[in-house]
Amino acid sequence: MSTEPVWPGELFADLDRSGPIPLYFQISSRLERAIRDGIIPAGARLENEIAIGQHLGLSRPTVRRAIQELVDKGLLVRRRGIGTQVVQARVSRPVELTSLQEDLTRAGHHPSTRVLSLDRIPADEEAAQRLRVAAGTEITRIRRLRSADGTPMAILENLLPPEYADITRDDLETHGLYEMLRARGISIKIANQTIGARRTHSDEHELLDLAKGSPVLTMDRVAFDQGGSVIEAGHHCYRPDLYSFETTLVSR
Amino acid sequence: MSTEPVWPGELFADLDRSGPIPLYFQISSRLERAIRDGIIPAGARLENEIAIGQHLGLSRPTVRRAIQELVDKGLLVRRRGIGTQVVQARVSRPVELTSLQEDLTRAGHHPSTRVLSLDRIPADEEAAQRLRVAAGTEITRIRRLRSADGTPMAILENLLPPEYADITRDDLETHGLYEMLRARGISIKIANQTIGARRTHSDEHELLDLAKGSPVLTMDRVAFDQGGSVIEAGHHCYRPDLYSFETTLVSR
DNA sequence: CCGCTGCATTTGTCCTAACAATAGCACGAA
DNA sequence: TTCGTGCTATTGTTAGGACAAATGCAGCGG
């Protein structure tokens, strides 16, 4: 099929060998862009790892690690004895640890948020269990309506443990919840998500501009920091005609 | 919090240094089981990488790679200057490249499958695009009803390219589609999935024992082999009260 | 008491080196 | 022709070493 291996060496002319950005990351990110932009076409075979290393003045492990990053993302496929190829399949962006706000902005839409409610309430049994606090603890409950270009897309309900009691409506309307947490130095390491479906409840159909009892796509998430403390527990519901979750799975 | 690092060395007494199973994999799988079984408790700190290597007679890169596997799965967290810890969060099984059949069996249920239809039809515009074949090509269409312990759970519609035209109803009822493809030496490398929700169509509510027009959870998938050829395109719909998708996300 | 400096610990990155395992191909024997 | 054998190319695994960067802590000075 393919004969000549390719290597667009000119893309890697300006590697920063002294800066703080790891070399393997500089390579993998440049390579990813080249593949996504079609500069390296689907199905093309890359040069072998040692030759790439010689072009760039790098060792094989470093090159190998850069390639591994893209294999994990599903952009490249390696086969022993054969080489490394760009996958033919169009890969979609995986479900990542980003917020809906950021997803939409990146897609070129104009997201807006209306804070429906923001209260401090004692945790009931279920909320206490999800946030890993004692029942009755004062927690913060947020309910927001997220729209894109004026069309309502999702209702976001989030529960926060007591230590984030001082957030304001303004923060939420302008910056998004995750962005705000990051600004406080809180970084999310792990999140467990469950995706499902159900009918609309109570006032949800009005907010989302749907018929009463129509289906919504739901996502429940509990997010943890590196120490294992719960940062946030959310229950979101999305208009299924406007939103879906995409994943790319790679076997190993 | 934690003071003494732990290392249950007795779990690693029988490493097979000559067999075909990589050492890093032997370590990571034993370690994973120890964590999931609670032998190493949540929050425990592991010994540092060099010390572990000395216990096992292995080099640091090998130990490091084993640990990395579990970090990617969300079971461990590493911090520079601190060490490696077992995460506090309970991790759920991620969405993997396995079939529903296997998921259910592993969960201790008794799955059964009824083949509703199995035909060869000319590909319409949409099917042709998903399978990357010319419109009008003869393809195989399968429609199955999957139940667990007698309760209907999902309707599975799959399209197969022309080369798999010789499968039989028996194959599908006893072995499951993916198991059957594997038996032919077909291995799936990459799959793109989209998860969404909609109302039931036509006869779906009867098959799934739901009210007419109730919500279903949907999953569309296109699976590719290592060469980028399409193996299968599926549209599945699930009873949302019995099925959901779980994911664990790890930031990097 | 508070803050700063320096040290020890630990993971993060990068290097060189070697051998194993697999796939494809050319070539030769039956 | 056809099958197998061996060669070559390429990735997979493992080793061992070096330095960088981040974290926590003890000790010191203000």
Side-chain angles (χ1 to χ4, degrees):
Chain A
M1 194 194 329
S2 57
T3 52
E4 280 303 295
V6 301
W7 185 250
E10 63 277 9
L11 288 175
F12 303 88
D14 55 340
L15 292 181
D16 178 8
R17 307 186 80 93
S18 57
I21 300 163
L23 288 168
Y24 74 86
F25 186 81
Q26 295 183 47
I27 302 196
S28 69
S29 53
R30 280 170 170 76
L31 200 50
E32 177 172 358
R33 201 172 44 215
I35 292 170
R36 292 199 189 272
D37 292 351
I39 296 171
I40 308 179
R45 205 177 113 232
L46 263 50
E47 277 201 86
N48 72 64
E49 297 167 347
I50 296 174
I52 292 174
Q54 282 170 348
H55 291 321
L56 302 178
L58 294 173
S59 70
R60 189 182 158 207
T62 304
V63 173
R64 204 173 151 69
R65 176 151 185 194
I67 291 176
Q68 188 63 48
E69 297 270 317
L70 301 189
V71 171
D72 290 340
K73 288 188 179 180
L75 286 164
L76 295 176
V77 172
R78 291 206 267 217
R79 275 186 293 168
R80 190 190 310 204
I82 306 291
T84 305
Q85 284 186 321
V86 179
V87 298
Q88 301 274 355
R90 210 192 41 215
V91 290
S92 55
R93 186 176 296 279
V95 180
E96 277 171 348
L97 262 181
T98 55
S99 66
L100 178 57
Q101 178 98 357
E102 291 159 6
D103 286 350
L104 291 171
T105 306
R106 208 165 35 202
H109 294 105
H110 280 280
S112 60
T113 305
R114 202 173 98 214
V115 177
L116 300 172
S117 66
L118 170 59
D119 357 78
R120 302 190 60 200
I121 55 166
D124 63 17
E125 200 56 51
E126 190 201 336
Q129 193 167 17
R130 294 185 70 196
L131 287 179
R132 314 274 160 95
V133 296
T137 309
E138 283 255 309
I139 60 174
T140 303
R141 184 180 60 184
I142 306 167
R143 191 156 185 255
R144 294 171 294 166
L145 179 67
R146 179 66 49 84
S147 306
D149 305 320
T151 311
M153 288 199 62
I155 298 169
L156 317 176
E157 293 176 357
N158 294 84
L159 302 176
L160 301 177
E163 52 266 39
Y164 308 114
D166 55 328
I167 52 173
T168 68
R169 292 176 94 95
D170 261 8
D171 285 339
L172 291 171
E173 301 217 331
T174 55
H175 291 110
L177 179 59
Y178 273 41
E179 196 179 333
M180 215 205 54
L181 290 173
R182 254 205 309 274
R184 297 190 177 200
I186 310 293
S187 81
I188 291 168
K189 262 280 156 42
I190 296 184
N192 289 341
Q193 291 190 175
T194 303
I195 298 170
R198 59 167 172 80
R199 288 182 188 277
T200 52
H201 291 158
S202 59
D203 62 342
E204 290 171 347
H205 69 279
E206 291 171 20
L207 291 167
L208 292 176
D209 199 14
L210 292 170
K212 194 171 181 181
S214 26
V216 284
L217 188 62
T218 64
M219 192 268 281
D220 287 270
R221 167 160 60 189
V222 182
F224 304 85
D225 67 8
Q226 71 272 75
S229 310
V230 175
I231 295 175
E232 175 254 336
H235 173 81
H236 298 181
C237 62
Y238 304 90
R239 268 183 66 165
D241 55 336
L242 299 178
Y243 201 83
S244 58
F245 293 94
E246 300 208 349
T247 323
T248 298
L249 302 177
V250 183
S251 84
R252 297 197 281 186
Chain B
M1 195 191 333
S2 57
T3 53
E4 280 303 295
V6 302
W7 184 251
E10 64 278 10
L11 288 175
F12 304 88
D14 56 339
L15 292 180
D16 178 8
R17 306 186 83 92
S18 58
I21 302 163
L23 289 167
Y24 75 85
F25 186 81
Q26 294 182 46
I27 300 182
S28 69
S29 51
R30 280 169 170 77
L31 201 49
E32 175 171 359
R33 203 173 43 216
I35 292 170
R36 292 199 189 272
D37 292 350
I39 296 171
I40 307 179
R45 207 178 111 231
L46 262 53
E47 279 201 84
N48 73 62
E49 296 167 347
I50 296 175
I52 292 174
Q54 282 171 346
H55 291 320
L56 302 178
L58 295 172
S59 69
R60 188 181 163 208
T62 304
V63 173
R64 205 173 150 68
R65 175 148 184 197
I67 291 176
Q68 187 62 48
E69 297 271 318
L70 301 189
V71 170
D72 290 340
K73 288 188 180 180
L75 286 165
L76 296 176
V77 172
R78 291 206 268 217
R79 275 186 294 167
R80 187 188 315 202
I82 305 292
T84 305
Q85 285 185 321
V86 178
V87 298
Q88 300 274 357
R90 214 190 35 215
V91 291
S92 55
R93 186 177 297 279
V95 180
E96 276 172 347
L97 262 181
T98 55
S99 65
L100 178 56
Q101 178 98 359
E102 291 160 4
D103 286 351
L104 291 171
T105 306
R106 210 165 32 205
H109 294 104
H110 280 280
S112 60
T113 307
R114 199 173 99 214
V115 177
L116 301 172
S117 67
L118 170 61
D119 357 77
R120 302 192 58 199
I121 57 166
D124 64 16
E125 200 57 52
E126 189 200 337
Q129 194 166 18
R130 295 186 69 197
L131 286 179
R132 315 275 161 92
V133 298
T137 309
E138 283 254 310
I139 60 174
T140 303
R141 184 180 60 184
I142 305 167
R143 190 156 187 255
R144 293 170 294 166
L145 179 67
R146 179 66 49 86
S147 307
D149 304 321
T151 311
M153 288 199 62
I155 298 169
L156 318 176
E157 292 177 358
N158 294 85
L159 302 175
L160 300 176
E163 51 267 39
Y164 309 112
D166 55 329
I167 51 173
T168 67
R169 293 176 94 95
D170 261 7
D171 284 340
L172 292 171
E173 302 217 330
T174 55
H175 292 107
L177 179 58
Y178 273 41
E179 196 181 333
M180 215 207 52
L181 290 172
R182 253 205 310 275
R184 297 191 177 201
I186 312 292
S187 80
I188 291 169
K189 262 278 156 39
I190 295 183
N192 288 341
Q193 291 190 175
T194 303
I195 298 169
R198 60 166 171 79
R199 288 183 188 276
T200 53
H201 290 158
S202 58
D203 63 342
E204 289 170 346
H205 68 280
E206 291 171 20
L207 290 167
L208 293 176
D209 199 14
L210 293 170
K212 193 171 181 180
S214 20
V216 284
L217 188 62
T218 64
M219 192 267 281
D220 288 270
R221 166 161 62 189
V222 182
F224 304 85
D225 68 8
Q226 72 270 75
S229 310
V230 175
I231 295 176
E232 174 255 336
H235 174 79
H236 298 181
C237 61
Y238 304 89
R239 269 184 65 166
D241 54 337
L242 299 179
Y243 202 83
S244 58
F245 292 94
E246 300 208 348
T247 324
T248 298
L249 302 177
V250 184
S251 83
R252 299 193 285 183

